[in-house]
């Protein structure tokens, strides 16, 4: 018995629409989303570096650039409306358009969190901008930032080809993200000599929380990649079962 | 589900090396070809126009209270298949039909079956409205009269009124039943043809691109009518409009080069088709 030739996203990305303008519109939409995603990573890294390196200029740049990502989100919305109205997408095209609209929302919220980190960095250094961050906290923050930015970067890379394997990898690495967040909280709660005043501890908790949420946005983007690639809505599913199922989807 | 049906629900639709050697023809149909309450059961239908095979081994149920949309590129065999369902292909020289097509268990290609009453049971609405050059009343009354479905003028009047009401045309024409059907607008003419079809109490209504000659408003009215007619009849529609297929049907069948490639719930076919050819076609990547 022959194996069915089932549709795959890879095939679709390789095969052009008869109406070429449709491909250009989808590519433009995807380009906007990828641009947003890359900017979220840059913004997050810059905001965290403002705190770690005691240099506030990146934090100001992050706040200056935040509206650009909002405008990209508006452009993406407009593109989504236009594609739906003009092309009435179906099947994988419909999933791509819906997923990209949702991913735009995730990226825009990610950018909001990066701006929140920048504001908290400014708040932390409001009085003495060059004091060093306690070593334990700096170490935990750096580790959390690296993992979160890496996860977000990979989620955006997964979007560029709607790569299900990359998306599954992001789910697999979620325990490491959770662990990094916990380490950061432990570092913030550990006794310090001299102790950090509440006015400084508060912004650091906000930053840890914002980073945690950027990591969650990466996971939500990975869910949308799987929605496009596999045609399955995997939101609100148990991650362990999901990873197991997706790992064995070919067999 | 019967063993036969299970056998026929083939999950093998594929373009294998063998398929490619056959010129890209697919082998088998993906999806459930059966319907819960089938009025027509088609199994292994093959159609030839002379030496050329137009339909290859197509099996599909036409279920009651259901609209099945047949889609596919030009020349894929969807209209040919539709015309097999009420033996319209009998009128084409050199056309041969093989396989089994049953209407309520009766083989319609049995030599004892008279195609004229069959075409009353399996009515057809064509691409271009084709009212008779007679009055609106006579267009609807003609079928019941020749089939002897009524016993009196009063009964015939009632049947004409009911049919025009079911076709959503009564309020627009009740004051001018004696005027020519050809004087109506395109959309009204098509609804008149539908009234004419349902006046002879069919079990199945076949529609071959019934809205392709109509404007969007007339199309919307016909689509609404199709949804209402579904309550009483089994409907099979051929359409080139993907959006129309998605709007009006509960099941969709995709044809390609004479093969039935995939059949399934319309929602599934239009959001997550299982065959690459189906997806390429409905997303506009075909060819």
């Amino acid at each position: 018995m022959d194996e069915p030739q089932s549709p795959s996203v890879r095939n679709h990305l390789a095969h052009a629409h008869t109406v070429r303008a449709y491909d250009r519109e989808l590519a433009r939409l995807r380009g906007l989303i990828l641009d947003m995603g890359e900017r979220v990573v840059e913004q997050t890294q810059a905001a965290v570096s403002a705190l770690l390196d005691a240099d506030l200029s990146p934090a100001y740049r992050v706040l200056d650039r935040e509206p650009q990502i909002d405008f990209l989100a508006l452009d993406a919305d407009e593109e989504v409306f236009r594609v739906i109205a003009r092309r009435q997408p179906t099947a994988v095209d419909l999933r791509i358009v819906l997923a990209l609209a949702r991913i735009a929302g995730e990226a825009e919220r990610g950018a909001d969190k990066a701006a929140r980190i920048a504001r908290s960095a400014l708040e932390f250094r409001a009085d003495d901008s060059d004091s060093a961050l306690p070593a334990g906290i700096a170490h935990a923050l750096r580790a959390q930032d690296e993992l979160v930015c890496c996860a977000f970067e990979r989620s955006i890379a997964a979007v560029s080809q709607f790569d299900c394997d990359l998306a599954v990898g992001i789910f697999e690495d979620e325990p490491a993200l959770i662990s990094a967040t916990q380490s950061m909280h432990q570092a913030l709660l550990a006794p310090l000599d001299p102790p950090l005043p509440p006015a400084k501890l508060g912004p650091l908790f906000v930053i840890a929380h914002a980073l945690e949420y950027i990591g969650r946005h990466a996971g939500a983007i990975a869910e949308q990649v799987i929605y496009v690639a596999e045609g399955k809505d995997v939101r609100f599913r148990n991650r362990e079962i999901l990873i197991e199922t997706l790992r064995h989807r070919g067999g | 589900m019967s063993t036969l049906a299970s056998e026929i629900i083939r999950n093998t639709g594929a373009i294998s090396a063998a398929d490619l050697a056959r010129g890209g023809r697919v082998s088998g149909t993906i999806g459930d070809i059966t319907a819960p309450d089938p009025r027509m059961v088609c199994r292994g239908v093959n159609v030839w126009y002379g030496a050329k095979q137009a339909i290859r081994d197509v099996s599909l149920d036409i279920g009651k209270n259901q609209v099945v949309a047949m889609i596919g590129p030009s020349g894929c065999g969807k209209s040919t298949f539709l015309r097999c369902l009420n033996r319209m292909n009998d009128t084409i020289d050199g056309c041969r039909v093989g396989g089994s097509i049953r209407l309520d268990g009766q083989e319609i290609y049995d030599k004892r079956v008279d195609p004229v009453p069959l075409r009353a049971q399996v009515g057809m609405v064509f691409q271009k409205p084709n009212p008779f050059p007679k009055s609106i009343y006579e267009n609807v009354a003609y079928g019941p009269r020749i089939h002897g479905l009524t016993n009196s003028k009063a009964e015939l009047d009632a049947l004409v009124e009911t049919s025009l009401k079911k076709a959503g045309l009564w309020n627009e024409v009740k004051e001018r039943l004696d005027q020519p059907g050809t004087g109506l607008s395109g959309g009204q003419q098509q609804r008149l043809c539908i009234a004419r079809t349902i006046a002879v109490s069919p079990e199945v209504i076949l529609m071959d691109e019934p809205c392709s000659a109509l404007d969007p408003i007339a199309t919307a009215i016909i689509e609404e009518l199709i949804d209402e007619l579904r309550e009483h009849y089994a409907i099979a529609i051929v359409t080139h409009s993907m959006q129309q297929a998605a709007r009006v049907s509960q099941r969709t069948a995709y044809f390609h080069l004479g093969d039935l490639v995939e059949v399934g719930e319309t929602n599934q076919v239009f959001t997550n088709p299982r065959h690459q050819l189906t997806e390429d076609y409905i997303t506009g990547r075909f060819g």
Side-chain angles (χ1 to χ4, degrees), chain B residues 39-54:
Chain B
R39 279 294 155 266
M40 301 199 82
V41 176
C42 311
R43 294 292 178 266
V45 176
N46 290 279
V47 180
W48 292 264
Y49 293 118
K52 181 181 167 16
Q53 187 162 10

Side-chain angles (χ1 to χ4, degrees), chain B residues 185-208:
Chain B
S185 71
Q188 288 173 325
Q189 285 187 26
Q190 195 63 301
R191 280 182 283 150
L192 179 62
C193 293
I194 291 172
R196 191 176 66 189
T197 302
I198 60 186
V200 290
S201 304
E203 292 202 45
V204 180
I205 300 176
L206 311 176
M207 297 183 166
D208 193 359

Side-chain angles (χ1 to χ4, degrees), chain B residues 151-188:
Chain B
N151 296 317
S152 65
K153 175 75 168 65
E155 265 186 49
L156 189 57
D157 288 351
L159 184 54
V160 168
E161 181 177 337
T162 308
S163 302
L164 286 168
K165 278 180 176 167
K166 278 186 183 170
L169 193 58
W170 175 250
N171 286 336
E172 293 163 56
V173 299
K174 63 184 176 189
E175 307 296 340
R176 47 176 174 148
L177 292 173
D178 56 342
Q179 290 182 15
T182 49
L184 296 172
S185 71
Q188 288 173 325

Side-chain angles (χ1 to χ4, degrees), chain A residues 1 3 12 17-18 90-91 95, chain B residues 12 14 270-271 279 282-284:
Chain A
M1 187 178 284
E3 282 300 309
H12 281 290
H17 285 93
T18 307
T90 54
R95 298 203 302 275
Chain B
T12 61
F270 279 93
T271 56
E279 186 148 281
I282 65 171
T283 58

Side-chain angles (χ1 to χ4, degrees), chain A residues 1-9 11-13 15-19 22-23 26 87-96 230-232, chain B residues 10-19 27 30 242-243 246 262 269-277 279-280 282-287:
Chain A
M1 187 178 284
D2 298 326
E3 282 300 309
Q5 193 201 21
S6 54
S8 79
V9 168
N11 281 335
H12 281 290
L13 296 178
H15 294 166
H17 285 93
T18 307
V19 178
Y22 192 177
D23 285 323
L26 286 176
R87 309 293 175 197
Q88 290 123 41
T90 54
V92 68
D93 293 333
L94 179 58
R95 298 203 302 275
I96 287 174
E230 297 291 313
K232 294 182 176 72
Chain B
R10 287 152 300 180
N11 223 3
T12 61
I15 294 205
S16 60
D19 290 326
S27 52
I30 286 186
M242 297 298 99
Q243 283 69 37
E262 179 168 356
V269 171
F270 279 93
T271 56
N272 205 358
R274 292 165 60 191
H275 201 289
Q276 186 72 56
L277 285 172
E279 186 148 281
D280 282 353
I282 65 171
T283 58
R285 288 179 169 90
F286 187 82

Side-chain angles (χ1 to χ4, degrees), chain A residues 21-181:
Chain A
Y22 192 177
D23 285 323
R24 289 196 292 275
E25 287 163 16
L26 286 176
R28 190 159 52 237
L29 176 58
R30 193 140 52 104
L32 283 168
I33 305 303
L34 295 178
D35 190 6
M36 287 177 76
E38 283 164 13
R39 286 175 190 238
V40 170
V41 174
E42 286 168 12
Q43 291 278 85
T44 306
Q45 286 170 337
V48 171
S49 76
L51 184 66
L52 288 170
D53 302 340
D55 174 9
L56 295 182
S57 56
Y60 287 115
R61 274 203 304 276
V62 166
L63 295 177
D64 282 348
R65 289 174 180 168
E66 197 214 348
Q68 294 173 8
I69 300 178
D70 292 340
F71 290 132
L72 284 173
L74 291 175
D75 288 348
D77 260 9
E78 207 169 291
E79 201 64 40
V80 165
F81 291 144
R82 195 176 300 144
V83 169
I84 290 173
R86 288 168 67 162
R87 309 293 175 197
Q88 290 123 41
T90 54
V92 68
D93 293 333
L94 179 58
R95 298 203 302 275
I96 287 174
V97 172
L98 283 180
L100 290 178
R102 291 172 184 154
I103 291 169
E106 298 292 342
E108 192 269 326
R109 286 192 285 279
D112 283 349
K113 306 294 189 305
R116 191 176 298 167
I117 293 169
R119 276 192 291 274
S120 297
L122 293 173
E123 199 181 329
F124 181 85
R125 300 206 175 278
D127 49 356
D128 49 347
S129 65
D130 55 355
S131 69
L133 204 57
I137 294 174
H139 177 75
L141 178 61
R142 191 168 283 118
Q144 190 189 11
D145 176 45
E146 278 174 11
L147 278 173
V148 164
C149 286
C150 178
F152 207 93
E153 244 171 358
R154 283 160 62 211
S155 73
I156 294 303
V159 172
S160 71
Q161 287 298 316
F162 293 111
D163 186 325
C164 191
D165 292 327
L166 258 182
V168 173
I170 292 160
F171 295 156
E172 285 174 332
D173 291 348
E174 277 182 349
L177 280 178
I178 294 166
S179 169
T181 304

